[in-house]
Amino acid sequence: MKTFLNTINGKSAGSDRTFASYNPATGETLGMVPHSSDDQVAQAVAAAKAAQPGWAALPDGERKALMMKVADLLKENSEVLAEWVVREQGKPLGGVGPDQVPGARFEAWGCEAWTRVPANLDLPVDVVFEDETRRDEMHRKPYGVIAAVAPWNWPLLIAIWQIIPGLRTGSTVVIKPSEYTSIGTLEMVRMISEALPPGVLNTVSGPGEVGAALVGHPDVDKILFTGSAATGSRIAEIAARNLTPTTMELGGNDAAIVLPDADPQQIAMSIFWGAFINMGQTCAAAKRIYVHESKYEAMVAALKAIATQMPMGNGMDAGVVMGPIQNRMQYSKVVGLVEKARQEGATIVCGGQEPGGRGNFYPLTLVSHIKDGAALVDQEQFGPVLPIISYKNVEDAIASANRLDVGLGASVWSNDVQQAKAVASRIQAGTVWINQHGMIHPMVPFGGVKKSGWGSEGGIDGLKAVTVPQVISIKKG
């Protein structure tokens, strides 16, 4: 059985201990992954720290050019990387274009796109004040060493979100992939490191204790984390000991509000993919749908017609558009939430039964006649289950959308864009989409409010988030 290796200071690095990575569609072992030791974590951070001054000293044009070489390598290896995503994470291959299923090929393409865009963005010196007596300039400086902890749901794309902005602005990076999806990330870093000086980008792998050692290292200058609120809370506690700044994306429980004038048939497919992209295992997927009572039954029927026709299976097979839940822990959570909803009297419109057999497959499940306060509504299910809730007036829907302590994304659906904007402005979320959901873009900042985290990724704001502001104030005359 092959053991896939970390990259530390430009060289491959194994470990005395290893663990297995599994295919969630088949249960087969894909390979072994190093369980990095504390010493190896320290070596990775030391390599990043030693490489950082030289990396930051490169002319900006040279760093841009190297980022474009990284993008070229991602493009050249896109099919290999996409296949790793299928085997290790579970999402089907899918395609890239607007009419294609957004699967593993989309993720691999996204890695390239989210590299090329930052590579071509600038953070010029900004004159924040000037008069006859003084000139005040805002400069942006690299943090130094960035520690990144990536999740299992979009293991390559979110890793790139964490890696590239820091490298682009002169920091170096040590990244720990999720223990559930390590191989694809380790392979991606191995590939793109060919374009980078040694020590600029390093990996360590293993369970939570490895991540704790990384984010707690005193030579780490900034922490980027995407994952659960529970883990984020522990990382924030560790970071506080060294006063290390953080950017946290901690998931959400996105509400979608369907206004009374919306046409269920017209919007059903868009809402479906807003909810079930990546089998619902997306932080900014629509996870609770509020539909006006006049359109409720029609909306439920339209979503059912789509959900019951979607082919599910091994993502490497032709025609498959839905894959498995990535791991058994998450699978058990999804099953438990559906069973609790059933016991409490909700209607299981479709799905809701474990199929048995190999793999972590669970059918697309719609749940109707359910209310706020139910666990399936109030907790982030992060799986292929969607509760659909009826409301009487728009004020009730807005109150429902805002009642939870998270606020990553939300959406409003209406034929009247101005009315939708008025509703959107009152929703407590980092992003509110209108007549779409979860439509990210590399030029658009993304982040949450409340317990969905803080800080931004993407666009100019994402670059600023991995730099330190420095004012240079010049006396004239």
Side-chain angles (χ1 to χ4, degrees), residues 309-328:
Q309 297 300 314
M310 289 291 173
M312 179 180 292
N314 188 326
M316 296 299 291
D317 296 340
V320 169
V321 298
M322 288 290 163
I325 296 173
Q326 200 285 323
N327 58 78
R328 293 306 291 186

Side-chain angles (χ1 to χ4, degrees), residues 57-73:
L58 286 178
D60 194 57
E62 287 190 28
R63 275 203 309 277
K64 277 187 174 183
L66 289 171
M67 293 298 93
M68 293 301 285
K69 286 185 179 180
V70 167
D72 291 341
L73 288 168

Side-chain angles (χ1 to χ4, degrees), residues 52-53 55-57 63 123 139-146 165-172 221-222 463 466-469:
Q52 195 274 327
W55 177 247
R63 275 203 309 277
L123 287 177
H139 296 248
R140 311 296 307 194
K141 302 292 185 179
Y143 265 103
V145 176
I146 292 176
L167 297 188
R168 168 70 187 87
T169 52
S171 289
T172 52
D221 301 297
K222 170 82 177 188
L463 289 185
V466 290
T467 60
V468 180

Side-chain angles (χ1 to χ4, degrees), residues 18-19 22-23 97 107 143 195 205 236 243 260 266 275 283 307 309 314 317 333 375 388 395 400-401 439 450:
T18 60
F19 59 96
Y22 299 98
N23 185 326
E107 180 163 358
Y143 265 103
S205 53
L243 298 178
Q266 186 179 45
C283 297
Q309 297 300 314
N314 188 326
D317 296 340
K333 178 180 179 180
I388 309 168
E395 292 298 320
S400 289
M439 300 300 290
K450 299 194 281 189

Side-chain angles (χ1 to χ4, degrees), residues 20 33 69 82 84 88 104 117 124 148-149 153 158 163 165-166 184 188 190 216 219 293 303 359 382 389 425 451:
V33 179
K69 286 185 179 180
W84 269 119
E88 197 173 32
V117 168
V149 180
N153 58 328
I158 294 179
I163 290 168
M188 179 177 72
R190 179 185 63 78
D219 287 334
E293 59 185 5
L303 288 171
F382 217 70
I389 305 105
S425 68
K451 291 185 179 178

Side-chain angles (χ1 to χ4, degrees), residues 109-452:
W109 169 83
C111 291
E112 179 196 349
W114 263 264
T115 299
R116 293 198 191 278
V117 168
N120 286 285
L121 293 179
D122 294 309
L123 287 177
V125 174
D126 184 17
V127 178
V128 294
F129 180 76
E130 186 171 19
D131 65 9
E132 66 277 4
T133 66
R134 61 188 288 164
R135 175 185 171 94
D136 295 87
E137 301 173 349
M138 175 68 78
H139 296 248
R140 311 296 307 194
K141 302 292 185 179
Y143 265 103
V145 176
I146 292 176
V149 180
W152 50 259
N153 58 328
W154 293 87
L156 303 191
L157 182 56
I158 294 179
I160 285 293
W161 291 7
Q162 296 174 327
I163 290 168
I164 297 302
L167 297 188
R168 168 70 187 87
T169 52
S171 289
T172 52
V173 176
V174 181
I175 187 165
K176 188 199 90 69
S178 167
E179 59 268 37
Y180 291 115
T181 53
S182 300
I183 294 176
T185 308
L186 296 186
E187 286 294 278
M188 179 177 72
V189 169
R190 179 185 63 78
M191 293 170 183
I192 66 179
S193 290
E194 296 176 11
L196 300 170
V200 167
L201 177 58
N202 310 271
T203 61
V204 292
S205 53
E209 65 193 67
V210 177
L214 174 60
V215 300
H217 196 287
D219 287 334
V220 164
D221 301 297
K222 170 82 177 188
I223 298 167
L224 306 179
F225 173 72
T226 297
S228 71
T231 302
S233 178
R234 291 194 291 272
I235 289 176
E237 182 179 357
I238 294 170
R241 299 171 193 165
N242 294 324
L243 298 178
T244 308
T246 61
T247 293
M248 295 281 190
E249 197 267 86
L250 305 178
N253 194 343
D254 287 17
I257 298 176
V258 179
L259 296 183
D261 71 322
D263 181 349
Q265 290 294 331
Q266 186 179 45
I267 65 176
M269 186 63 77
S270 295
I271 287 183
F272 174 85
W273 282 114
F276 288 109
I277 184 174
N278 196 25
M279 287 291 283
Q281 300 168 119
T282 295
C283 297
K287 298 187 174 76
R288 47 194 174 115
I289 311 295
Y290 293 93
V291 184
H292 189 264
E293 59 185 5
S294 65
K295 301 293 178 68
Y296 185 76
E297 297 300 336
M299 190 78 253
V300 171
L303 288 171
K304 179 182 178 182
I306 297 170
T308 53
Q309 297 300 314
M310 289 291 173
M312 179 180 292
N314 188 326
M316 296 299 291
D317 296 340
V320 169
V321 298
M322 288 290 163
I325 296 173
Q326 200 285 323
N327 58 78
R328 293 306 291 186
M329 177 185 68
Q330 193 62 35
Y331 183 96
S332 297
K333 178 180 179 180
V334 169
V335 171
L337 288 171
V338 173
E339 289 309 307
K340 186 172 178 59
R342 192 198 314 271
Q343 292 165 11
E344 292 175 348
T347 299
I348 309 301
V349 177
C350 61
Q353 297 291 338
E354 296 184 69
R358 293 195 307 168
N360 301 334
F361 291 102
Y362 192 82
L364 299 180
T365 301
L366 300 175
V367 181
S368 66
H369 301 99
I370 190 169
K371 297 180 180 180
D372 288 350
L376 181 57
V377 177
D378 288 9
Q379 296 180 28
E380 183 184 25
Q381 68 273 42
F382 217 70
V385 180
L386 182 63
I388 309 168
I389 305 105
S390 175
Y391 70 87
K392 290 183 179 296
N393 62 69
V394 174
E395 292 298 320
D396 293 338
I398 295 171
S400 289
N402 291 338
R403 60 182 284 271
L404 301 180
D405 61 359
V406 288
L408 187 58
S411 59
V412 182
W413 302 77
S414 173
N415 289 325
D416 184 338
V417 172
Q418 293 306 312
Q419 181 186 18
K421 284 178 66 176
V423 173
S425 68
R426 297 175 59 194
I427 296 177
Q428 298 164 4
T431 301
V432 184
W433 292 278
I434 292 176
N435 295 328
Q436 57 183 356
H437 196 109
M439 300 300 290
I440 57 174
H441 190 282
M443 278 298 295
V444 179
F446 180 74
V449 300
K450 299 194 281 189
K451 291 185 179 178
S452 286

